[in-house]
Amino acid sequence: MGLSFTLLQVRILYVSSAKTYGGGERHLVDLSREITARGHEVFFALRPTNQWQDRLDFIRPENFLHVSIRNSFGMFSANRIGRFMETNKIDLLHAHVARDYLAASVACRVAGSTKLVLTRHVVFPMKPFYKFALRNVDAAIAVSTSVKVQLERVFPAKKVLIIPNGIDSVTPTAAEKQIQADNFRSFHDIPAEAPLVVTIGELLVLKGQRDLVLAANEIVKRHPECRFVIAGKDNSIDQKFRRELRRLVKVLGHEDRFLWLDWLDDISPLLYAANIFVSPSHSESFGLAILDAMAAGTPVVATATDGAKELLKGTNALAPIKDPLALADKICEFLDDPERSRFLGHQLQAIALENYGLATMIDATEAVYRKVV
């Protein structure tokens, strides 16, 4: 299957078995949209029951393959993907979900000369057998330094590189931001003068929302008018964790202080309305929600995960992981000092705009594609 691109155009197959839409899928949608806009031909292999294909409406219908990858190998699925790549003369397969890596590797062997690129979005160590099973990987992309360290335990260092997530940040005027903030507070009956602390992310124990609820119990002792927003879905079948969180808020007597929102397509009004964005996660390889808040100019307090330490380096805005009391103290540090809080917001926005633009991410990824092809 000779090279199929003209003027360095590449035919790319993205593989993702993710069912629901989250940060990793948002990254993939942004990446594929921009890669398509640059003239490359993009294809997708998605699970039949996925809930986010409608966000890929810029991809031609015939460029989709629906295939179930039921486990970390999936030989039948790998063969289907391999035949799809042969038929469509795919130059490069790019996989983003860990359980897809082996099937992607086998599919590339089936297709013959298709190149294989992986992106690792989490900091958890990969299993040792990947060192042998994924020997045909041409490039392994880490979203942060901590992820790169883990990948270099599996792949040769020359194949591993860092490409941080990037966002297409829009910087409205202060007046425009204030209008959106006022509208958000008015719509949700949040007093204009009430301090507002928010977090965004899938409802998971690992994301630390329980710690934020416990921290809130301390914060209101110093800021009785404080309000809290927890935005994110519990994608489990029984939604047990969401019920647990809401029950905890009720037991603590703070039901009137908490607003619960599902996934928001436009998080800007929430971020503009917030006094503090909090990432209470127990593990974060990068922290796309943190970056969103930074780009919006919203002050950020985060637990000291690998991703947060990289994004918030030198800001003194970090709290220990799994320590609600320390988290509450750190949040109150900034609520107590509005001038310091405003300075943090401006500082973080400058970092985001300078180092984490979407175009920078796309440039680096496109360079990888052209190099391996």
Side-chain angles (χ1 to χ4, degrees):
M1 182 188 71
L3 300 185
S4 64
F5 60 85
T6 303
L7 297 177
L8 296 179
Q9 292 180 337
V10 184
R11 296 171 70 85
I12 305 148
L13 174 68
Y14 292 108
V15 175
S16 175
S17 61
K19 181 177 180 179
T20 57
Y21 186 74
E25 292 65 54
R26 176 187 155 191
H27 165 93
L28 186 49
V29 170
D30 288 342
L31 171 62
S32 58
R33 179 186 293 110
E34 296 303 314
I35 287 293
T36 299
R38 295 190 180 195
H40 303 289
E41 183 76 9
V42 169
F43 300 76
F44 267 89
L46 302 174
R47 67 188 297 167
T49 56
N50 82 83
Q51 298 172 7
W52 53 284
Q53 184 174 325
D54 60 325
R55 300 173 186 271
L56 298 168
D57 56 3
F58 51 90
I59 303 296
R60 295 189 301 171
E62 61 268 28
N63 285 19
F64 285 97
L65 170 69
H66 292 116
V67 59
S68 297
I69 302 177
R70 299 184 180 278
N71 52 49
S72 62
F73 188 65
M75 177 59 80
F76 177 73
S77 299
N79 282 325
R80 282 195 62 199
I81 295 170
R83 292 194 300 271
F84 182 81
M85 290 196 296
E86 284 184 308
T87 300
N88 291 282
K89 298 181 172 59
I90 301 297
D91 298 308
L92 180 148
L93 184 155
H94 191 167
H96 288 255
V97 179
R99 64 174 169 267
D100 301 341
Y101 292 167
L102 285 177
S105 174
V106 173
C108 285
R109 290 186 171 98
V110 170
S113 61
T114 300
K115 303 298 183 179
L116 177 59
V117 175
L118 306 179
T119 290
R120 184 74 167 165
H121 293 272
V122 296
V123 75
F124 308 118
M126 294 179 67
K127 297 175 182 178
F129 76 88
Y130 279 126
K131 183 179 295 186
F132 306 101
L134 300 178
R135 282 177 293 182
N136 62 329
V137 166
D138 295 282
I141 298 172
V143 297
S144 65
T145 303
S146 57
V147 177
K148 181 175 184 286
V149 171
Q150 295 296 339
L151 288 179
E152 287 181 340
R153 296 175 180 173
V154 176
F155 304 108
K158 65 182 180 181
K159 291 186 176 183
V160 180
L161 67 158
I162 300 174
I163 302 180
N165 288 323
I167 58 173
D168 190 8
S169 54
V170 179
T171 52
T173 66
E176 290 170 337
K177 290 172 65 173
Q178 191 62 54
I179 291 172
Q180 292 191 51
D182 291 344
N183 287 343
F184 180 89
R185 284 176 176 258
S186 175
F187 183 80
H188 293 290
D189 296 320
I190 300 171
E193 68 280 1
L196 182 60
V197 175
V198 310
T199 191
I200 300 171
E202 184 178 357
L203 300 187
L204 292 169
V205 173
L206 191 68
K207 291 295 185 180
Q209 289 98 348
R210 183 192 293 120
D211 297 334
L212 179 58
V213 171
L214 295 173
N217 193 49
E218 300 300 316
I219 293 169
V220 297
K221 296 175 183 177
R222 293 163 61 175
H223 294 273
E225 300 304 314
C226 195
R227 299 291 188 271
F228 304 86
V229 176
I230 295 182
K233 287 184 177 181
D234 183 341
N235 288 312
S236 65
I237 295 175
D238 59 7
Q239 298 198 345
K240 179 180 178 181
F241 187 56
R242 180 183 178 88
R243 294 200 308 274
E244 178 189 326
L245 288 174
R246 299 194 70 151
R247 184 165 57 247
L248 179 59
V249 168
K250 183 177 181 179
V251 168
L252 294 173
H254 301 314
E255 285 180 288
D256 59 338
R257 292 188 172 95
F258 272 79
L259 171 64
W260 304 86
L261 300 174
D262 286 337
W263 184 272
L264 301 172
D265 284 326
D266 184 5
I267 60 175
S268 297
L270 169 60
L271 293 175
Y272 298 150
N275 294 87
I276 301 285
F277 174 86
V278 180
S279 173
S281 187
H282 301 168
S283 176
E284 204 70 71
S285 60
F286 181 82
L288 195 54
I290 296 175
L291 183 57
D292 282 325
M294 292 170 61
T298 306
V300 176
V301 168
T303 47
T305 60
D306 290 319
K309 286 189 289 187
E310 194 163 326
L311 287 169
L312 305 180
K313 185 177 180 180
T315 62
N316 195 29
L318 297 173
I321 297 171
K322 298 183 182 180
D323 189 337
L325 292 178
L327 182 62
D329 285 342
K330 182 60 68 174
I331 293 169
C332 286
E333 279 184 32
F334 290 96
L335 291 179
D336 293 341
D337 190 344
E339 187 59 36
R340 181 185 175 197
S341 184
R342 279 192 293 271
F343 176 80
L344 176 63
H346 293 317
Q347 179 186 14
L348 295 179
Q349 186 175 45
I351 292 172
L353 297 179
E354 182 177 351
N355 300 299
Y356 299 101
L358 181 60
T360 301
M361 182 189 82
I362 302 302
D363 288 344
T365 307
E366 187 180 32
V368 172
Y369 292 168
R370 287 173 167 165
K371 180 179 178 181
V372 301
V373 170

